[in-house]
């Protein structure tokens, strides 16, 4: 009985509130989004009119959902209204997993971090896309996957050889530093005097600590010839629960680590691994006091607001750091380089994690998969250059097309600067180290992140933390079925090798 | 106190109280001020600024329209109202039975109360699985049911106290005049405990309005109560503090009104009727 | 139901007449709707959960079978260091947090009891935090405790004349749990204050006056007269606070997500992670049951204390 009542109330509510909406509408018009200008560098045609359907799109809240607002007119032409459902950044897995298990049909297009593709596709929660992708005419249906950089295509989109998702954000970490500080002759001289060698952007994680220590200053001290009004810190780390593990894995991977051996025995607690974690723990003393609460935005802001000398960050941050309208006080003073590495033998091995990233898939229980696909393909291909080259979003390049059009990145002061940015990005990608993509990835990552975070917080030693991870990883593997996991892991190793990501 | 407190004593008492009040009010005040600040330019400032340079009402309109605050407000309203009505009505019936007939004795009454002690996660798990089978997740009804689990025992206990305060003779004389139990309940008892009904309904409303965990786990798209919309304003990339504060200010309206205007019954409501106040 | 009055007085009918007196039928009829609702939405789920505790069911893996594992899940819960860490954190929130709420609440009530004018206005203002959604109070404190731009750290900056920029309240292992505690204290102290005030006001004036005549000191009156007299009502408030603190979820979810490390993981939050992130149904159900048992024990203890107190009062 109350069911009927509430549904009736629901239908009435909009009418009752119409007056309020009318007033609010004025504000809405004023706030109409500014969107990037269409560049029309790729050829595409829109799907034919669906005659007024609503596609429910799930994604993590914030600027990466902006493209759905940018191109709403085109969606309207296809007869599609997009309804956005957003979740906090750290909640994507649990919210989606909850819905996939509930099968309430709440979402058509789902945006997620590709590490979960094994979990989602492996459980049959996603619809295979190959059939849509092969339809004619190609201008309507083909997302031109050959244009997508290999790791973002092979690892992000596929499970068991089939395509289940399309990349919309290609992530890799880079190091960013304050070029002006490293170029300052006084600082160079002081560094030379203190450490006996030249000041340069750190090549290794040991140098990361050294430079971090050097640039950490109290308020009142001098930095590059100016008296500091506020304390200044040498470096920043991602310390928040959720993705702090990736900042540790940069160190782990460069020392030659890989998650498991061929038989799924964890290799995460080797002495080299513990040394890597110790390095991250040590680094915290040169970071701002709140660093364990730093997620993407706090770490970004600490850097672009001039509080720290260097950070390792995602590749969209240089775009924001170069753009004073995004709050940057250091525009034009930013250097971008390879993530520091580890001295192995007599050469330095650099490894950049490729954490997060975003792909769109279609829920297996979607009642309008075709319209959903049209939206997914539009975002993944038709206007993707416009989206990744805009500082309104946090999306990062993932297609050849994106790398070939430096002129699109207008937030840089010159096309040369944009070109340098894109080249740096390619260097980082060449250093790229993959996440775990097999089923259970979310659980493996979460177990790792918890323990890394505990070590950072000083609750346990690095070795204890990593031993606990190894034990927990074995539990996860067992509960998912060891034989199947071993088989999938071997396939994964093969594809990592084929892509040249590991030896 | 029979001896008139000295002036210094009185000043001291009032001073401490006002200081404490300032401490307790400050978070609300700060959120109020933040709700008019510009998230980009006025939040990330050290030292923090007290008053916004320009009072941005757009935080409110933005949060309500763009961010779905208005819809969420409507959803919360529907869920909280339905829960309040159900809990009050059935709670009153049960309470009547417990108070007048001592149904099931003390143990039964305590058992009803003890269902409120359930850890919500413990209820959420089976409710999630059961409503999944019924294909009723992400609807109003699932949240109404979940909130009823917690509020019906509360409503029963609260109303039991109100009915016990009422002399039974009134109903008995009506019964002598030929009224059925049910009519006596409807026509004599209920009108006499109107304050109790109002208090019960309002508290059930507030508890449901403020509820977060069930809303988080049992709904996602078609229904989004206000408590679940707030966290989505914290993106991994930007935190819309101005709008969060604005929506927060809107979300606390019902609770604040209750605190200001129903003070007389709050003790009773919050203690499940155990303390009459 | 028992309409036949005279004719067929078989033993059954007479039994039925004795048991189902009209009065009892009516009593049942009144209690039935709520009983059905409660059975459906509390007892059925409870039994459902109980059934889950004896299986291993990894819902996150569509392929995994549901296996009967006996009491294995309970064994695993009891041996789970993370569970006990969460219990410890929850225990601290209850032991330290609720105690502080009690002390501050009673203190404020004693002061308020001396105020005559504007008391109800003061009380109403104090009460606002109690009726605010914890989600909102969580955000209020994220604003206040913000490490870089929060007013609290600015206050510290002013007091120390710039030598300290304050602390990472939510990100430092040493302060994170305390920060959550401060938020709950802020929100719930007025609740205990209100109850204590209600208790104080119901104390007959004569008792206090006669004590004053005997020359008892203020603190002595409080300690041996007022406190014992308000204890029964206060214990109800305490019971509610302890049970609700045991369920602390919203604030952890909003303020720290259990971090840094596992410094602020409460038992409710950990159960949520196991249930709605990992979807280990059996394990979560076992954990929920352990909590239920603990809560019931606490409730019984406090109620017993209350009863004993009452007996002593009458003795």
């Amino acid at each position: 009985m109350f069911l009927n009542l509430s549904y009736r109330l629901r239908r009435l509510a909009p009418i009752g509130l119409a007056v309020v909406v009318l007033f609010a509408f004025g504000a809405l018009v004023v706030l109409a989004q500014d969107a990037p200008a269409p560049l029309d560098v790729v050829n595409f045609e829109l799907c034919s009119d669906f005659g007024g359907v609503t596609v429910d799109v799930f994604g993590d809240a914030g600027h990466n959902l902006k493209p759905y607002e940018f191109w709403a007119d085109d969606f309207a032409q296809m007869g599609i209204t997009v309804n956005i459902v957003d979740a906090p950044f750290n909640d994507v897995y649990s919210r989606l997993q909850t819905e996939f298990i509930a099968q309430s049909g709440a979402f058509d297009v789902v945006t997620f971090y590709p590490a979960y593709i094994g979990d989602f596709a492996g459980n049959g929660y996603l619809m295979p896309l190959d059939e849509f992708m092969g339809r004619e005419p190609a201008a309507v249906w083909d997302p031109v996957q050959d244009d997508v950089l290999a790791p973002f295509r092979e690892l992000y989109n596929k499970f068991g050889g089939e395509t289940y998702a399309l990349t919309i954000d290609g992530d890799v970490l880079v190091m960013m530093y304050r070029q002006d500080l490293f170029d300052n002759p006084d600082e160079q001289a002081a560094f030379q005097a203190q450490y006996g060698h030249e000041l340069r952007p750190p090549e290794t994680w040991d140098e990361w600590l050294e430079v971090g220590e050097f640039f950490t200053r109290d308020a009142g001290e001098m930095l590059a010839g100016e008296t500091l009004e506020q304390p200044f810190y040498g470096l920043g780390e991602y310390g928040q629960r959720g993705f702090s593990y990736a900042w540790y894995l940069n160190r782990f991977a460069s020392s030659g680590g890989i998650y498991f051996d061929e038989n799924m025995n964890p290799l995460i607690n080797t002495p080299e691994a513990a040394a890597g974690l110790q390095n991250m723990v040590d680094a915290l003393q040169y970071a701002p006091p709140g660093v364990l609460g730093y997620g993407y935005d706090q770490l970004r802001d600490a850097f672009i607001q001039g509080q720290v000398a260097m950070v390792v960050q995602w590749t969209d941050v240089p775009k924001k750091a170069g753009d004073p309208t995004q709050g940057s006080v250091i525009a034009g003073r930013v250097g971008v380089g390879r993530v520091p590495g580890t001295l192995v033998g007599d050469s330095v091995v650099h490894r950049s994690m490729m954490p997060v990233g975003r792909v769109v898939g279609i829920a297996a229980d979607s009642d309008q998969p075709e319209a959903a696909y049209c939206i997914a393909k539009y975002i993944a291909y038709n206007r993707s250059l416009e989206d990744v080259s805009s500082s309104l979003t946090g999306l990062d390049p993932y297609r050849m097309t994106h790398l070939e059009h430096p002129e699109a990145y207008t937030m840089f002061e010159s096309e040369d600067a944009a070109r340098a940015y894109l080249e740096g990005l390619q260097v980082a990608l060449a250093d790229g180290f993959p996440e775990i993509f097999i089923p259970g990835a979310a659980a493996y990552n979460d177990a790792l992140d918890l323990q890394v975070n505990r070590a950072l917080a000083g609750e346990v030693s690095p070795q204890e933390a990593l031993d606990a991870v190894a034990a927990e990883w074995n539990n996860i593997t067992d509960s998912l079925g060891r034989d199947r996991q071993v088989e999938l892991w071997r396939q994964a190793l093969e594809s990592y090798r084929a892509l040249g990501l590991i030896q | 106190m029979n001896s008139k407190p000295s002036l210094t004593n009185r000043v001291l008492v009032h001073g401490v109280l006002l200081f404490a009040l300032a401490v307790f009010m400050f978070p609300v005040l700060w959120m109020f001020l933040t709700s008019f600040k510009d998230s980009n330019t006025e939040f990330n400032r050290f030292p923090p600024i007290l008053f916004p340079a320009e009072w941005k009402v757009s935080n409110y309109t933005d949060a309500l329209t763009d961010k779905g605050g208005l819809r969420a407000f409507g959803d919360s309203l529907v869920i909280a109202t339905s829960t309040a009505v159900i809990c009050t009505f059935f709670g009153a019936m049960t309470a009547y039975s417990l108070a007048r007939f001592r149904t099931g004795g003390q143990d039964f009454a305590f058992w009803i109360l003890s269902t409120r002690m359930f850890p919500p996660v413990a209820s959420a798990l089976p409710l999630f699985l059961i409503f999944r089978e019924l294909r009723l997740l992400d609807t109003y009804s699932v949240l109404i049911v979940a909130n009823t689990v917690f509020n019906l025992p509360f409503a029963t206990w609260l109303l039991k106290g109100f009915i016990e305060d009422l002399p039974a003779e009134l109903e008995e004389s009506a019964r002598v005049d030929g009224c059925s139990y049910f009519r006596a309940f409807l026509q004599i008892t209920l009108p006499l405990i109107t304050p109790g009904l109002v208090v019960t309904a309002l508290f059930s409303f507030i508890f449901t309005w403020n509820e977060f965990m069930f809303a988080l786990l049992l709904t996602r798209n078609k229904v989004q109560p206000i408590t679940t919309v707030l966290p989505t304003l914290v993106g991994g990339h930007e935190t819309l503090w101005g709008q969060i504060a604005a929506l927060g200010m809107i979300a606390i309206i019902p609770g604040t009104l209750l605190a200001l205007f129903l003070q007389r019954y709050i003790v009773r409501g919050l203690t499940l009727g155990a303390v009459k106040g | 139901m028992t309409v036949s009055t005279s004719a067929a007085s078989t033993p059954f009918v007479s039994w039925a007449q004795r048991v189902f007196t009209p009065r009892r039928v009516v009593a049942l009829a009144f209690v039935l709707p709520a009983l059905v609702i409660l059975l459906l939405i509390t007892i059925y789920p409870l039994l459902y959960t109980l059934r889950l505790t004896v299986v291993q069911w990894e819902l996150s893996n569509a392929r995994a079978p549901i296996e009967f594992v006996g009491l294995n899940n309970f064994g695993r819960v009891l041996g789970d260091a993370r569970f006990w860490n969460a219990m410890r954190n929850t225990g601290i929130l209850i032991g330290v947090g609720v105690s502080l709420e009690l002390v501050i609440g009673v203190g404020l009530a004693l002061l308020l009891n001396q105020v005559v004018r504007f008391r109800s206005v003061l009380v109403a203002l104090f009460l606002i935090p109690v009726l605010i959604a914890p989600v909102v109070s969580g955000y209020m404190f994220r604003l206040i405790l913000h490490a870089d731009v929060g007013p609290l750290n600015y206050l510290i900056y002013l007091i120390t004349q710039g030598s300290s920029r304050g602390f990472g309240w939510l990100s430092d292992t040493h302060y994170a749990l305390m920060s959550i505690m401060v938020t709950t204290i802020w929100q719930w102290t007025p609740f205990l204050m209100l109850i204590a005030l209600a208790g104080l006001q119901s104390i007959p004036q004569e008792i206090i006056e006669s004590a004053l005549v005997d020359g008892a000191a203020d603190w002595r009156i409080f300690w041996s007269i007022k406190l014992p007299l308000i204890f029964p009502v206060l214990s109800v408030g305490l019971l509610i606070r302890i049970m609700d603190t045991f369920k602390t979820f919203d604030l952890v979810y909003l303020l720290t997500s259990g971090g840094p490390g596992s410094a602020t993981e409460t038992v409710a939050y950990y159960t949520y992670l196991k249930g709605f992130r990992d979807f280990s149904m059996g394990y979560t159900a076992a954990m929920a049951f352990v909590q239920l048992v603990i809560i019931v024990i606490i409730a019984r203890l406090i109620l017993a204390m209350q009863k004993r107190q009452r007996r002593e009062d009458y003795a």
Side-chain angles (χ1 to χ4, degrees):
Chain A
M1 187 185 78
F2 55 83
L3 279 177
N4 286 334
L5 176 69
S6 58
Y7 277 119
R8 208 168 306 144
L9 275 175
R10 189 189 169 123
R11 226 172 284 138
L12 285 175
I15 302 166
L17 298 167
V19 184
V20 187
V21 177
L22 263 175
F23 278 112
F25 193 69
L28 202 70
V29 172
V30 175
L31 288 164
Q33 287 300 327
D34 36 344
L39 299 169
D40 295 315
V41 291
V42 298
N43 293 317
F44 66 88
E45 284 168 35
L46 297 177
C47 295
S48 49
D49 198 334
F50 285 91
V53 297
T54 299
V55 168
D56 297 307
V57 177
F58 173 91
D60 58 308
H63 56 183
N64 291 326
L65 290 169
K66 287 240 165 85
Y68 296 99
E69 294 165 24
F70 297 163
W71 316 112
D73 290 348
D74 278 354
F75 301 158
Q77 266 193 46
M78 296 191 273
I80 299 171
T81 312
V82 167
N83 171 43
I84 300 281
V85 182
D86 49 12
F89 180 62
N90 283 337
D91 268 10
V92 166
Y93 175 78
S94 59
R95 292 302 284 275
L96 272 182
Q97 183 75 350
T98 309
E99 164 54 21
F100 285 144
I101 285 172
Q103 296 280 303
S104 75
F107 312 135
D108 298 302
V109 175
V110 291
T111 312
F112 57 93
Y113 315 136
Y116 310 145
I117 194 153
D119 282 301
F120 292 163
N123 277 326
Y125 298 149
L126 299 174
M127 201 173 275
L129 302 179
D130 302 273
E131 191 266 326
F132 290 118
M133 288 160 53
R135 285 193 192 175
E136 294 287 337
V140 174
W141 298 97
D142 185 4
V144 197
Q145 286 290 83
D146 290 346
D147 184 41
V148 176
L149 304 174
F152 296 141
R153 179 182 66 230
E154 298 302 319
L155 300 176
Y156 274 31
N157 299 350
K158 293 185 180 174
F159 182 77
E162 278 184 286
T163 300
Y164 286 92
L166 301 176
T167 304
I168 62 161
D169 177 21
D171 274 333
V172 64
L173 298 178
V174 290
M175 178 176 70
M176 265 162 268
Y177 53 89
R178 287 280 298 279
Q179 189 75 56
D180 56 324
L181 300 183
F182 284 89
D183 289 348
N184 184 287
D186 297 341
E187 297 293 347
Q188 286 172 344
F191 188 91
Q192 180 76 39
Q194 195 172 339
Y195 297 96
H197 56 97
E198 202 187 333
L199 174 65
R200 59 170 185 180
E203 275 291 306
T204 66
W205 287 111
D206 290 336
E207 290 177 31
W208 173 258
L209 295 182
E210 211 173 71
V211 177
E213 181 187 38
F214 176 69
F215 278 122
T216 301
R217 316 270 164 94
D218 269 339
E221 291 187 63
M222 302 290 282
L223 178 73
E226 282 173 39
T227 310
L228 287 167
E229 280 174 28
Q230 292 172 14
F232 187 80
Y233 298 92
L235 51 85
E237 300 274 355
Y238 190 113
Q240 202 182 62
R241 270 286 288 280
F243 290 93
S244 63
Y245 73 91
W247 270 250
Y248 158 66
L249 287 177
N250 285 323
R251 295 158 162 104
F252 170 75
S254 69
S255 70
I258 179 78
Y259 308 104
F260 302 98
D261 70 8
E262 299 269 336
N263 297 312
M264 284 298 283
N265 296 313
L267 298 175
I268 195 75
N269 54 344
T270 60
E272 294 79 26
L277 186 49
Q278 186 64 50
N279 177 285
M280 188 170 173
V281 173
D282 291 343
L284 295 185
Q285 55 188 311
Y286 313 123
V291 67
L292 287 184
Y294 277 21
Y296 164 89
D297 50 345
Q298 295 89 345
L299 186 57
R300 173 198 64 200
D301 293 346
F303 184 65
I304 70 177
Q305 289 171 5
Q307 296 161 16
V308 299
M310 28 179 215
V311 292
V312 169
Q313 259 285 17
W314 277 287
T315 46
D316 64 306
V317 176
K319 289 191 292 177
K320 308 246 176 189
D323 188 349
T325 67
Q326 295 283 318
S328 175
V329 301
I330 56 165
R333 294 187 278 159
V334 179
V336 179
R338 298 167 86 178
V339 170
T342 301
L343 198 63
V344 177
D346 42 41
S347 64
V348 176
V349 179
H350 293 268
R351 283 314 209 177
S352 330
M353 281 305 294
M354 302 158 70
V356 191
R358 282 172 188 79
V359 297
V360 287
I362 296 171
D365 63 349
S366 165
D367 49 8
Q368 43 220 359
E370 215 164 272
Y373 177 79
C374 288
I375 297 293
K377 185 250 173 184
Y378 189 103
I379 296 293
Y381 179 64
N382 297 7
R383 294 291 183 200
S384 63
L385 176 62
E386 287 87 338
D387 295 340
V388 299
S389 64
S390 162
S391 59
L392 295 172
T393 75
L395 300 170
D396 296 314
Y398 56 90
R399 284 176 179 269
M400 296 303 295
T401 313
H402 302 159
L403 302 176
E404 286 158 1
H405 288 276
E407 77 281 2
Y409 300 80
T410 50
M411 73 290 288
F412 291 104
E413 68 269 31
S414 67
E415 207 177 303
D416 282 338
R419 192 168 290 119
Y421 163 69
L422 292 173
E423 277 163 12
L425 198 143
Q426 275 164 287
V427 171
L429 282 174
D431 291 338
F433 189 79
E435 287 196 90
I436 300 172
F437 290 96
I438 61 171
Y444 291 122
N445 285 343
D446 189 48
L448 175 61
D449 191 64
L450 172 71
Q451 296 299 338
V452 165
N453 218 263
R454 293 188 68 199
L456 295 181
E459 289 179 32
V460 289
S461 76
Q463 188 67 53
E464 284 166 347
L466 296 173
D467 287 345
V469 176
E472 188 56 29
W473 279 10
N474 275 325
N475 287 340
I476 296 166
T477 305
D478 288 336
S479 81
L480 292 170
R482 185 165 284 271
D483 294 344
R484 179 160 174 272
Q485 291 296 96
V486 168
E487 188 189 321
L488 290 166
W489 176 246
R490 286 181 183 168
Q491 287 170 16
L493 283 175
E494 232 164 81
S495 57
Y496 291 172
R497 281 194 198 100
L499 292 164
L501 296 168
I502 59 169
Q503 272 79 48
Chain B
M1 300 284 136
N2 66 340
S3 59
K4 212 166 170 73
S6 66
L7 186 67
T8 42
N9 188 29
R10 272 174 56 198
V11 168
L12 205 66
V13 166
H14 284 82
V16 172
L17 276 175
L18 286 178
F19 174 75
L21 189 65
V23 170
F24 276 88
M25 285 295 98
F26 183 74
V28 183
L29 178 72
W30 190 255
M31 182 174 244
F32 175 77
L33 292 171
T34 307
S35 74
F36 291 100
K37 289 179 192 168
D38 186 299
S39 302
N40 287 325
T41 57
E42 294 183 313
F43 180 75
N44 283 322
R45 281 274 198 88
F46 191 90
I49 51 170
L50 192 57
F51 295 107
E54 189 189 334
W55 293 68
K56 276 192 71 168
V57 184
S58 64
N59 283 335
Y60 283 84
T61 49
D62 235 22
L64 283 175
T65 53
D66 262 20
K67 305 296 171 190
L70 204 59
R71 223 191 86 179
F73 198 88
D75 282 353
S76 282
L77 207 60
V78 170
I79 293 162
T81 311
S82 313
T83 308
V85 169
I86 291 170
C87 289
T88 310
F89 185 72
F90 290 112
M93 282 181 73
T94 319
Y96 185 73
S97 177
L98 293 180
R100 287 289 179 257
F101 309 108
R102 314 224 167 277
T103 315
Q106 278 271 291
D107 283 343
F108 182 62
F110 181 78
W111 173 77
I112 287 187
L113 180 65
S114 71
T115 55
R116 190 190 172 270
M117 300 175 192
F118 274 27
V121 214
S123 312
L125 193 75
L127 282 177
F128 175 80
L129 294 171
I130 293 164
F131 276 78
R132 176 175 81 132
E133 294 303 316
L134 299 174
R135 311 211 61 77
L136 279 175
L137 287 175
D138 202 15
T139 61
Y140 288 126
S141 50
V142 65
L143 275 192
I144 293 169
V145 167
N147 282 297
T148 302
V149 176
F150 281 87
N151 287 309
L152 188 57
F154 154 78
T156 305
W157 265 70
L158 195 52
L159 287 166
K160 180 170 161 270
F162 277 99
I163 295 175
E164 277 166 353
D165 287 353
L166 210 65
E169 291 82 45
L170 287 169
E171 295 149 34
E172 272 154 25
S173 63
R175 292 252 308 120
V176 170
D177 294 345
C179 252
S180 74
Y181 275 109
F182 197 66
R183 271 191 61 191
F185 168 71
L186 282 183
Q187 296 188 340
I188 311 286
T189 318
L190 284 190
L192 286 172
I193 57 162
T194 306
L197 295 175
V198 171
V199 170
T200 309
L202 285 172
F203 271 99
S204 306
F205 182 92
I206 290 289
F207 290 151
T208 309
W209 182 274
N210 288 351
E211 200 283 327
F212 176 60
M213 185 194 267
F214 288 140
L216 176 71
L217 298 177
L218 303 177
T219 63
R220 40 196 118 286
N221 178 10
K222 296 182 203 82
V223 178
Q224 290 180 39
I226 204 157
T227 46
T228 60
V229 170
L230 269 170
T232 66
L233 300 180
V234 184
H237 305 87
E238 61 198 328
T239 302
L240 303 168
W241 282 114
Q243 298 180 12
I244 288 175
L247 205 54
M249 289 312 293
I250 293 168
I252 67 173
I253 291 172
T256 310
L257 290 179
L258 190 65
L260 294 180
F261 297 114
L262 274 171
Q263 203 206 116
R264 213 151 73 78
Y265 293 106
I266 280 179
V267 181
R268 197 159 174 169
L270 287 173
T271 57
L272 309 156
V275 180
K276 299 269 155 69
Chain C
M1 193 164 278
T2 54
V3 271
S4 58
T5 41
S6 55
S9 61
T10 61
F12 174 73
V13 170
S14 71
W15 172 83
Q17 272 173 338
R18 245 183 310 115
V19 174
F20 293 100
T21 61
R23 207 179 143 76
R24 282 196 179 151
V25 171
V26 171
L28 269 178
F30 269 101
V31 86
L32 209 60
L35 194 62
V36 170
I37 292 175
L38 282 176
L39 280 175
L40 275 180
I41 63 182
T42 67
I43 299 309
Y44 180 65
L46 188 71
L47 295 176
Y48 195 105
T49 313
L50 194 59
R51 208 188 65 193
L52 287 180
T53 59
V54 293
V55 298
Q56 164 132 6
W57 183 14
E58 302 301 321
L59 199 46
S60 62
N61 180 5
R63 242 169 299 273
I66 306 179
E67 284 174 84
F68 179 81
V69 293
L71 295 178
N72 210 352
N73 283 326
F74 287 102
R76 276 174 59 206
V77 171
L78 298 180
D80 183 349
R82 200 169 160 191
F83 175 78
W84 290 112
N85 171 60
M87 284 296 270
R88 200 185 117 253
N89 290 338
T90 310
I92 293 174
L93 286 180
I94 293 177
V96 182
V98 177
S99 304
L100 285 171
E101 287 168 28
L102 183 71
V103 172
I104 303 172
V106 171
L108 287 175
L110 285 170
L111 293 179
L112 273 172
N113 202 29
Q114 296 180 39
V115 174
V116 186
R117 255 191 287 174
F118 302 120
R119 179 161 62 206
S120 62
V121 179
L122 280 176
V123 172
L125 289 174
F126 268 115
L127 272 178
I128 291 174
V130 176
L131 297 170
I132 285 177
V135 174
V136 180
S137 58
Y139 282 117
M140 287 182 178
F141 275 79
R142 266 180 77 159
L143 289 169
I144 292 190
L145 301 172
H146 197 288
D148 300 325
V149 297
L152 180 61
N153 275 350
Y154 180 54
L155 188 68
I156 292 172
Y157 176 82
L158 288 181
I159 290 172
T160 61
Q161 298 184 322
S163 68
S164 166
R165 287 292 295 266
F167 305 92
W169 295 109
L170 295 169
S171 55
D172 188 316
T173 330
H174 303 100
Y175 306 120
L177 190 62
M178 194 179 91
S179 300
I180 288 182
M181 193 187 292
V182 165
T183 311
T184 60
I185 291 174
W186 172 79
Q187 183 150 32
W188 293 106
T189 297
F191 167 70
L192 290 175
M193 174 201 89
L194 189 65
I195 292 178
L197 184 62
L200 286 174
Q201 289 183 322
S202 67
I203 297 176
Q205 200 61 39
E206 304 85 62
I207 301 183
I208 305 211
E209 272 166 22
S210 65
L212 279 172
V213 170
D214 293 345
D218 277 353
W219 64 269
R220 180 121 190 106
I221 295 180
F222 168 72
W223 202 248
S224 35
I225 298 178
K226 290 182 180 171
L227 198 59
L229 283 177
I230 64 171
F231 181 79
V233 285
L234 214 48
S235 67
V236 176
L238 263 184
L239 170 68
I240 291 172
R241 280 305 303 137
I242 289 174
M243 286 188 326
D244 286 349
T245 309
F246 203 85
K247 301 172 188 167
T248 305
F249 168 80
D250 307 17
L251 290 177
V252 177
Y253 178 94
L254 291 163
L255 291 176
T256 61
S257 308
S262 51
T264 56
E265 249 177 32
T266 57
V267 72
Y269 188 74
Y270 181 47
T271 315
Y272 154 79
L273 286 182
K274 277 287 164 202
F276 290 92
R277 188 190 160 93
D278 299 350
F279 284 91
S280 299
M281 294 292 126
Y283 191 68
T284 309
M287 224 159 22
F289 245 84
V290 172
Q291 289 166 59
L292 190 62
V293 169
I294 294 173
I295 287 188
V296 169
I297 291 173
I298 296 175
R300 286 278 168 193
L301 275 178
I302 293 187
L303 287 176
M305 247 163 70
Q306 198 186 2
K307 258 186 196 155
R308 208 187 65 193
Q309 187 74 33
R310 281 225 176 101
R311 265 204 307 279
E312 280 172 8
D313 288 347
Y314 293 124

